[in-house]
Amino acid sequence: MKIVRLNMFILFFTIVVGSMMGNEITKTHNLPQNGDNFTKTRISFVAPGDSGKNVVWDFSQAQVVDGNTKVFYSVIDDSLINTTEYGTRYDFRLRGDTLLWRGYENRSTFMRDSNAAIELIYPMRYGDKATKPYCFHGEYSRTMTVRINGSSTVLCDGEGVIYLPDGDTIADVVRVRRICNTTINMMRKEDDTTRIMNVADTTMRRIEERYTWYAQGYRYPIVETIINTNFYKGKETGACSSDSLW
């Protein structure tokens, strides 16, 4: 298996207001707010570690490998939420107690949902789990039509203590794991649109695992880890791993 280390451990250094309520993630304390902005700093990869209770997650040896990147949030009518980072805008909608991911846009790709993916549920505490199918459609580089469909699962799978690279130790942390099992279909726009989209030479499968750690005193996660595993024509083609501290 080919593994690419992206060295993308990210630190968020602001937004301490609206602290997490005890050992649970709540809408009141953790929902993004209009005008919030903060900084991410990439650091070397560290595996996400164990699930369960009373876990110790040790990121103390991670090294900073990149400069700071700004992250911005905007909220419209208390339900439409946009975040921008690394030149990409991600769109979300709050529906009841569920935060839904509706798509994303950058200079090369435009994707919108016909069935949104689950991002988070409120409140969320250890052992909570939700699963939802989703479907996005759009285009890549203005020359390819793209369809993404699959299922997204969000699970609060850990409680414990985190050791951070700056020497801080944070207790009463909860970890959320989100898994997106996705099929990606691409077709050139000039192709006959009546063709079946999921033919072998235009289809890729991807499993994205994202781990986020939430702590009291922080609206946003303090740590993030992302692992993408790609499959093409039924064979695994590689994995990209990245970690993030917020």
Side-chain angles (χ1 to χ4, degrees):
M1 179 181 69
K2 180 183 178 182
I3 299 179
V4 182
R5 300 297 188 189
L6 294 186
N7 298 323
M8 203 175 88
F9 204 102
I10 306 168
L11 301 173
F12 293 88
F13 283 113
T14 59
I15 309 302
V16 186
V17 298
S19 61
M20 185 179 73
M21 185 68 175
N23 275 13
E24 67 177 12
I25 302 163
T26 67
K27 189 190 305 183
T28 300
H29 295 90
N30 299 105
L31 187 69
Q33 299 296 304
N34 187 48
D36 281 356
N37 66 89
F38 45 87
T39 300
K40 289 185 175 182
T41 302
R42 296 184 178 185
I43 70 173
S44 56
F45 177 79
V46 178
D50 295 332
S51 60
K53 290 193 172 186
N54 301 314
V55 180
V56 175
W57 296 290
D58 189 355
F59 298 97
S60 61
Q61 300 305 308
Q63 302 295 312
V64 174
V65 297
D66 200 355
N68 297 330
T69 297
K70 283 288 188 181
V71 180
F72 300 92
Y73 278 89
S74 63
V75 180
I76 303 172
D77 296 331
D78 296 325
S79 62
L80 297 177
I81 300 170
N82 302 317
T83 178
T84 302
E85 58 179 291
Y86 296 108
T88 298
R89 190 189 75 191
Y90 300 91
D91 299 327
F92 304 88
R93 177 186 289 274
L94 181 66
R95 183 173 296 166
D97 291 329
T98 303
L99 186 63
L100 298 171
W101 178 32
R102 302 185 59 237
Y104 59 95
E105 181 178 354
N106 55 39
R107 298 177 76 175
S108 64
T109 307
F110 175 86
M111 300 299 299
R112 281 294 175 268
D113 71 299
S114 55
N115 189 10
I118 192 168
E119 177 74 11
L120 202 61
I121 56 176
Y122 303 103
M124 196 163 198
R125 57 184 67 86
Y126 179 75
D128 287 347
K129 179 180 179 180
T131 299
K132 185 183 183 299
Y134 68 94
C135 182
F136 292 169
H137 57 273
E139 63 178 36
Y140 171 73
S141 193
R142 298 185 179 181
T143 62
M144 305 283 289
T145 58
V146 184
R147 180 182 174 90
I148 299 174
N149 63 280
S151 64
S152 55
T153 298
V154 61
L155 167 68
C156 188
D157 73 345
E159 293 181 334
V161 176
I162 275 187
Y163 299 149
L164 301 182
D166 61 3
D168 283 352
T169 299
I170 302 180
D172 298 322
V173 173
V174 297
R175 186 177 78 176
V176 174
R177 181 187 182 195
R178 195 191 74 166
I179 306 168
C180 288
N181 195 330
T182 301
T183 299
I184 304 170
N185 308 118
M186 301 180 68
M187 183 186 296
R188 293 195 181 276
K189 285 188 174 182
E190 60 267 24
D191 285 357
D192 181 1
T193 56
T194 64
R195 288 179 55 195
I196 297 174
M197 289 292 289
N198 62 348
V199 293
D201 61 349
T202 61
T203 300
M204 180 177 72
R205 180 167 165 255
R206 172 177 294 162
I207 299 175
E208 180 188 276
E209 299 175 84
R210 190 181 70 187
Y211 301 81
T212 48
W213 285 259
Y214 288 80
Q216 295 184 48
Y218 298 85
R219 177 176 296 138
Y220 298 95
I222 59 170
V223 181
E224 179 184 68
T225 298
I226 300 175
I227 301 173
N228 283 315
T229 306
N230 296 322
F231 300 85
Y232 181 65
K233 294 185 177 180
K235 296 182 180 180
E236 184 175 329
T237 60
C240 296
S241 305
S242 64
D243 274 352
S244 310
L245 278 183
W246 304 45

